[in-house]
Amino acid sequence: MPKQTVALLFGGRSSEHSISCATAGGVLSAIDRDKYDVIPIGITRDGAFTLQPDDAARFALSSTLPSVDDNGTRIHWPDSALSREITVTDAAGQTSSLGEVDVAFPILHGPFGEDGTVQGLLELAGIPYVGAGVLASAVGMDKHFTKSVLQHAGIAVAPWETVTVRRWATDRAGVETAADALGWPVFVKPARAGSSVGVTRVASPAGLADALEVGFAEDSKVLIEAALVGREVECGVLGGLDGAAPRVSLAGEIVVTGRDFYDFDAKYLDAPGIDLVCPAPLSEAELAEMQDLAARAFEAIGGAGLARVDFFLTTSGFVINEVNTMPGFTPISMFPKCWMASGLSYPQLIDELIALGLDTVR
């Protein structure tokens, strides 16, 4: 069979730029080169679409976080949905064709990539792509709306209060009262960010104002969320091919041993105090219930392709924390680890996602 051409989009304008680059490094190192030609399209922190080297080591996580450098190239999308041809202008101003793309793989995290914006661009260009569509991406990116949709679907979520910059400026006392009602400690987190960026654990009312300012540095809308006592467990979801039901992986568990929570440094810089256990020690009944809830959550937001669903297992049962429509995808990230424990290797998982991108009817 002829090779398929995959446009790999990574980097981007969000604070999760480097994590997206690391994800690209993982995919570039594992994708089957006998099946796929890859066009690495790196988006700079300023939003320029550039042609980057097809070099996995260039984007590997290390003591220096990887990034997309502006090398002067510029990617041009098709003039209409009648073509899938991508062209590039080099630093000298010469434009050439990169050929037709079969599918785009937007491994972007955070705003301007995971939130439906790039998905909308690909829809306009008529290019099939991996992952959730415009609406599901936008809902999954916004923690307030994710919780609202899941709550409507009868799925338990952690109690929360949503605070905008304007509300904090005009009704500080009301926000403080609402936070008190949730009980202490609470977590303060940006509504539309990931990778634990801008998240603070607040033990008492004295720390609320500073935590909100940290959150507002990432987003104009912030959640104050009740801190739940329970095990942190996660599972991966894959869409069903040919209209089949979603599939859910075995569960993984985040065991916090020496940190306040699973923060950015622990996720990506190998900071101590966290153990990742996969598969998680759950009973058959617990795993079945968790998998059912994950599939229900995926369908409730209109998911496609993939998602990672994060839970707390409390004494009262499972509570969903987040639905990530483009989870971290480095070889050591929880999403691929859960699928590897379920019998799907990292290269096979990439194959599956590309097949889903080509199969999804939007």
Side-chain angles (χ1 to χ4, degrees), residues 2-262:
K3 289 185 181 181
Q4 294 176 316
T5 299
V6 178
L8 190 67
L9 278 69
F10 59 96
R13 291 168 54 192
S14 85
S15 56
E16 297 174 79
H17 177 100
S18 293
I19 303 310
S20 175
C21 292
T23 298
V27 174
L28 288 172
S29 68
I31 193 168
D32 189 339
R33 301 297 178 144
D34 291 330
K35 294 181 180 178
Y36 309 108
D37 289 321
V38 182
I39 302 174
I41 299 176
I43 305 173
T44 68
R45 294 182 188 274
D46 295 327
F49 288 74
T50 66
L51 182 64
Q52 291 291 310
D54 187 354
D55 180 3
R58 165 76 179 73
F59 300 106
L61 267 180
S62 65
S63 56
T64 302
L65 293 174
S67 65
V68 173
D69 296 328
D70 191 343
N71 54 20
T73 62
R74 291 295 181 267
I75 292 290
H76 308 291
W77 297 100
D79 290 336
S80 77
L82 297 176
S83 169
R84 294 182 184 173
E85 183 185 21
I86 291 178
T87 59
V88 61
T89 300
D90 64 24
Q94 298 298 310
T95 299
S96 58
S97 175
L98 295 173
E100 294 217 342
V101 170
D102 292 292
V103 63
F105 197 158
I107 47 173
L108 296 152
H109 306 308
F112 310 109
E114 193 179 350
D115 58 353
T117 49
V118 163
Q119 289 75 15
L121 169 65
L122 296 170
E123 295 272 1
L124 288 169
I127 296 176
Y129 58 91
V130 172
V134 174
L135 178 60
S137 296
V139 171
M141 186 78 248
D142 190 308
K143 296 175 179 66
H144 169 82
F145 286 108
T146 300
K147 286 175 176 286
S148 299
V149 169
L150 295 182
Q151 199 171 57
H152 181 75
I155 298 172
V157 297
W160 85 99
E161 188 74 21
T162 301
V163 184
T164 61
V165 170
R166 183 173 63 83
R167 183 181 174 193
W168 178 237
T170 59
D171 185 24
R172 184 172 181 136
V175 172
E176 291 170 342
T177 299
D180 273 328
L182 291 169
W184 303 96
V186 297
F187 281 93
V188 174
K189 55 181 69 172
R192 295 162 292 201
S195 297
S196 300
V197 174
V199 177
T200 307
R201 183 182 185 275
V202 185
S204 69
L208 182 62
D210 287 344
L212 285 168
E213 292 308 313
V214 170
F216 286 138
E218 296 294 329
D219 193 357
S220 61
K221 184 167 66 175
V222 166
L223 271 63
I224 305 172
E225 190 175 80
L228 297 182
V229 177
R231 296 167 61 187
E232 294 187 52
V233 286
E234 304 178 344
C235 57
V237 181
L238 288 172
L241 286 166
D242 299 321
R247 296 155 291 166
V248 185
S249 72
L250 294 174
E253 181 170 6
I254 300 159
V255 181
V256 181
T257 57
R259 306 181 78 81
D260 283 341
F261 64 98
Y262 189 34

Side-chain angles (χ1 to χ4, degrees), residues 269-346:
L269 302 181
D270 202 26
I274 298 290
D275 292 321
L276 301 183
V277 180
C278 190
L282 297 171
S283 69
E284 287 186 16
E286 286 172 333
L287 178 60
E289 181 183 0
M290 182 178 171
Q291 290 174 324
D292 177 66
L293 286 168
R296 285 175 56 197
F298 183 78
E299 294 192 306
I301 70 164
L306 73 161
R308 192 191 71 234
V309 184
D310 304 345
F311 295 82
F312 291 105
L313 177 52
T314 73
T315 55
S316 301
F318 287 101
V319 177
I320 288 186
N321 184 31
E322 294 182 23
V323 180
N324 294 274
T325 58
M326 185 51 70
F329 199 74
T330 68
I332 62 169
S333 297
M334 189 64 95
F335 178 84
K337 283 171 72 76
C338 286
W339 279 110
M340 284 187 264
S342 305
L344 206 58
S345 71
Y346 193 70

